Amino acid sequence: MEKSKDALVFSIKRFALHDGNGLRTTIFLKGCNLSCVWCHNPEGIELERKIQLSKKKCINCNRCVEIDTDNVIVQKEKYKEIINKIDVDYKKYIDVCPSGAIDYDSKYYTSEELLEIVLKDKVFFKHGGGVTLSGGEALLQLDFVIDFLKKCNENNINTALETALNISTDKLKKVLPYVNTLYCDLKEIDLDKHYRFTGVKNKLILKNIEYLLTSKFAENIIIRTPLIPNHTATKENISKISRYISDIYPQVKYELLNYNPLGISKYIDLGKKYPLKDNIPMFSKIEMEEFKDIARLNGITNLI
Amino acid sequence: MNTLILSERIENLKEKAIHADRYASIEQARIITNTYKKFPNEPRIIQRGLSLKAALEQLSISVDKDELIVGNRTVGIRDGVVFPESGSNWVNNEFETLPTRPQDKFKVKKEDIKEFRNDIYSFWNEKSMEDIINKRYGKRINEISKVVKINQKDHAQGHICPNTEMWLQKGPKKIKEEAIIKLKEASDETKDFYKAVIDVMDGTITFMNRYHDYIMNLIEEENISKDNDLYQVALNCKNISERAPETFHEAVQSVWFLFTILHMESNASSFSPGRMDKYLYPFYKKDIDNGILNNQKALEIIESFWIKCNEIVYLRNKHSAKFFAGFPIGFNVAIGGVDENGDAYENELSYLMLIAQEHLGLPQPNLSVRLHKNTSDKLPKKAIQVVSKGSGMPQFFNDEAIINPLINNLEIDEKDARDYAIVGCVELTTQGNNLGWSDAAMFNLNKALELTLNNGKCLLTGEKIGLDLGNLTTYDSFEDLEEAYKKQVSYFIDEMIKACEVVEQAHQECLPTPFLSTVIDNCIEKGIDVTAGGAKYNLSGIQMIQVANLADSFAVIKQLIYDEKKISKEEMLNALIDNYEGHDITKVMVENLVPKYGNDVKWVDELGAKWAEYFNDKLKSFTNYRGGKYHTGMYTVSAHVPMGENVGATPDGRLAKTPLADGGMSPVYGRDMEGPTAVLNSVSRLKCELTTNGGLLNMKFLPEFFSDEGIDKFSIMMRAFVDLEIPHIQFNVVRKSDLTEAQKYPEKYKGLTIRVAGYTAYFTELATELQNEIIARTSYGEI
């Protein structure tokens, strides 16, 4: 078994441009306690590591079939699948695959290992940027997160963390001293809609926002709303969120994230159905400006 | 500076330059041949001086009424010049195919072919430099050519940055007067040199005056009013024939004449204007202070000069055109950098030159920005903004990676090293005192590996061309293989040096360059031609091709064959012999299971760096024919395509005959999966001393990247680039779809320029293989 302070990571992206100031290395931690219908990282929702067989990489050489004593390889008409079983050691399947098609969807890292990866780009961060923890919900792996962020602080690496805030306030408090910028999603202000869209109610999230925006860390907080067509991207939602957060803290930083349809291909890879209409375009510059105006009209002075 | 516009005059000139037909011109060949016939017994340097003088006196000239800067070596705007002294045999063989060959097409006139064969080729056959080299060493050069491509076999070397600052201080008249004084005290050995200098300066003065007279005639004939700019242009030509230039406009005209005449004398690739923002600044400042110049006018003059730089193209043979595709004529202008004290340098002209590039987006001049730790934030940001417009320029050079190695490894004076400029594509040079011979040869490290893995035999033909040291199955350990590879490389280095010496000797005998020698320090003082070693610095540059593929191949061999033993030696060798046909599993293994160069994986990157270091070190034991040092560069021009055609399948999974990695330090396209920061970290593992002759790193970004925020983020990357001590980087900013459209509808994309390798060319003028390779390069910045 892996040590308790290991983190399960499903992706590491260097030269990330949209997850904080400057150039970032964004680390995506696996597992989420929301299930947004539009989720961009559906591969990061489940908390467990899974074995997978990439159809794109597989060349049908049958090497895995030849050693399949566990009955985990399934030959479909045109492609193969691999079955996740708890008691199977998949190492031999990974080793035998010549194309790297069989592999885990995520990997365990110690905080030292992750730090080493982050430090590779320190020469860039010196001029602007740092590390961003994202997910899934990064705070579900709280012990690791704190340990890792401390190490980043010691190495003068700027830190950012993205969270949906569906976590107890006490836990949230623990991480605050180590984060330079905390990106907090407030996707939907209406309780019922929030439940419909994400599978959870937003009571705890709102409580956390109130706490954060009245705390000494308020300046480090950026509230974000992803603009999902026919869901969160309504005048009502944006105006209410804006009013709500600016009433708590007039200087609150607020960011509206344009819809990004790139998530579709991930659903295809996972063999899942994309839950939104798949031909909705991003919002245009003009439409984005309209949303921003709504935010400004409702008390937002610090629009990112 | 934000209000400066692209004037209608400049737009007109640009349109004409883009749409001009290219012809092969024999006019100068005729003049040269007649001169040699008239003076058969004169020493070669006198013959060369007289030939240039005659050309300056006789070549047809023309002026466009929109031009602010005048002068060309042919009447046609983009004609290629047949130059029989250096090579006429290849012209004889290829004349008819010039209009239809795949790369660098030229139209030809039937009567020219006839005259060439009857009057010119008949005289030069077996006398041209090409013939002499062929006779002396052609067979051997050919035998080693798949590993070592020896350059400058049929043309002058070029790739030199004259002392333009001195030229502007003196002008042709003063230089002539100085040569007359020198001649009086000259020894017998140096007399002819000074005589030739006097001849070419006489020709230069005449040439300048001919433009004055031509324009005055034009003014008269067409009743052009006296306040038209043409009148000033005519006066400029006359003034600078008599004295040193005094105004900015005169100075720029004087610079253009210098470069036109350098091309007339040598017909070579690349004479570099160098640090134009620095040496033109006193003229600019004086005129601005005196109120006779404003920035709009200065910009128009610069843009006129920029367009002129696109009007001289270089006619190469078919083979050479593949290696140097799309006319990389190499008017390399370097801006920014540091001054003589090592402090960051920039001025208004630096920005005007960037704006000129932004306005025109033409392939020439090859605009380079020198960056330094203390360079302002403003300069790189403006430069990045220009890059985002898509012409692939400016390219960036890093003072932190360049100046110290020039001092420490090549024993160049600190003052000269700080004043470095660029010639050709990315080749480094000091200004005005160096015959760098930067393209002496290209060494195909991957072919050498192929021969080491296969008993010295070429995988493509079975022919034995290298040392038989065994094959992959006979090397017991990875170290044994490395030992054998060392021997193979070393053998071809020895062979290369011998060939380089033959070539240089022939240049000294056949192609002395008295005009060029006047603008290279120490030549006039010593009375020694630059080809004979008259310059202060005498270097020879060898390119190592390509470390990226080599690192990837060695990584595969080390990991899969020797360490993990996942592939047997026999299987790997057979896969290479069979070009991976029937070896699908082996192919996906080498592609997927081993990390590749460019992903910030230290052990892989170091496998490549190690061999570059070995090569560089080995060269140190040789001295070139002029008594100077050999050193190394890592850039390909476009040679990664034809050199790839010579290489069989490689252990990194590359198929036979396909291109090698582009650039010189770039990863193999499509194999860098970790993004730009990882690429830069990988590249930084190549020590700067490996690229004193120039290094090249290509990156491709999508236009969407360059929002205001994008430019800020890009600047961060460029600052880190400086810190990482990487010598060079350049960017293509283009969408793949635009390039594929341009392949389909070339006529619609005539003006589309693209960075090939250290130079920009019109995309539609490149051969299809090269176009495909550019399209295949990895793009960053997808949103």
Side-chain angles (χ1 to χ4, degrees), chain A residues 14 17 22 121 126-127 262, chain B residues 600 677 681 705 713 723 783:
Chain A
R14 292 165 70 178
L17 303 167
D121 287 341
K126 205 176 77 191
H127 299 286
L262 288 176
Chain B
D600 205 356
T677 60
N681 284 340
F705 185 90
K713 303 217 173 197
D723 291 347
I783 46 171

Side-chain angles (χ1 to χ4, degrees), chain B residues 344-409:
Chain B
Y345 186 85
E346 64 178 66
N347 60 41
E348 293 91 320
L349 287 178
S350 321
Y351 291 91
L352 288 176
M353 288 172 185
L354 285 169
I355 293 168
Q357 182 57 36
E358 187 177 17
H359 278 171
L360 294 170
L362 290 168
Q364 295 294 331
N366 198 351
L367 186 63
S368 304
V369 173
R370 280 178 49 177
L371 298 179
H372 177 264
K373 270 203 174 87
N374 298 327
T375 300
S376 72
D377 277 335
K378 204 175 136 201
L379 188 70
K381 276 193 183 162
K382 178 68 199 172
I384 292 162
Q385 192 202 327
V386 178
V387 165
S388 75
K389 302 287 159 66
S391 69
M393 280 192 278
Q395 56 181 343
F396 297 88
F397 288 83
N398 184 358
D399 285 9
E400 307 293 340
I402 289 171
I403 293 173
N404 281 333
L406 290 182
I407 297 168
N408 300 332
N409 295 78

Side-chain angles (χ1 to χ4, degrees), chain A residues 12 14-23 57 59 61 63 94-100 120-121 123-129 260 262 282, chain B residues 566 584-585 588-590 592-593 599-601 674-678 680-681 701 705 709 713-714 716-717 719-721 723-724 780-783:
Chain A
I12 298 172
R14 292 165 70 178
F15 198 70
L17 303 167
H18 304 295
D19 303 314
N21 74 295
L23 304 179
K57 286 187 180 171
I59 59 161
C61 65
R63 282 184 161 196
I94 295 170
D95 284 348
V96 82
C97 178
S99 66
K120 284 180 167 197
D121 287 341
V123 64
F124 297 86
F125 302 154
K126 205 176 77 191
H127 299 286
N260 185 347
L262 288 176
M282 294 177 79
Chain B
K566 279 192 170 180
D584 296 350
I585 292 178
V588 292
M589 284 171 89
V590 306
N592 292 292
L593 302 185
N599 293 292
D600 205 356
V601 178
E674 295 289 322
T677 60
L680 292 177
N681 284 340
F701 279 84
F705 185 90
E709 199 194 346
K713 303 217 173 197
F714 210 86
I716 293 171
M717 190 175 82
R719 289 282 168 200
F721 155 81
D723 291 347
L724 284 167
Y780 300 111
E782 262 149 311
I783 46 171

Side-chain angles (χ1 to χ4, degrees), chain B residues 90 94 98 101-104 106 130 149-157 159 267-269 314-328 439 442 636-643 645 756 759 766-767 770:
Chain B
W90 77 263
E94 297 180 19
L98 291 178
R101 63 187 191 171
Q103 186 63 61
D104 294 5
F106 284 84
E130 178 194 15
K149 183 183 181 291
I150 301 291
N151 293 318
Q152 345 292 354
K153 299 190 297 287
D154 60 10
H155 55 85
Q157 85 287 339
H159 284 78
N267 188 45
S269 181
Y314 178 44
L315 175 63
R316 297 170 179 277
N317 70 37
K318 182 178 73 183
H319 189 61
S320 174
K322 269 176 148 183
F323 286 73
F324 305 91
F327 312 109
D439 266 322
M442 289 170 164
T636 65
V637 201
S638 60
H640 53 290
V641 176
M643 286 200 130
E645 284 171 14
V756 182
Y759 65 98
L766 300 173
L770 188 52

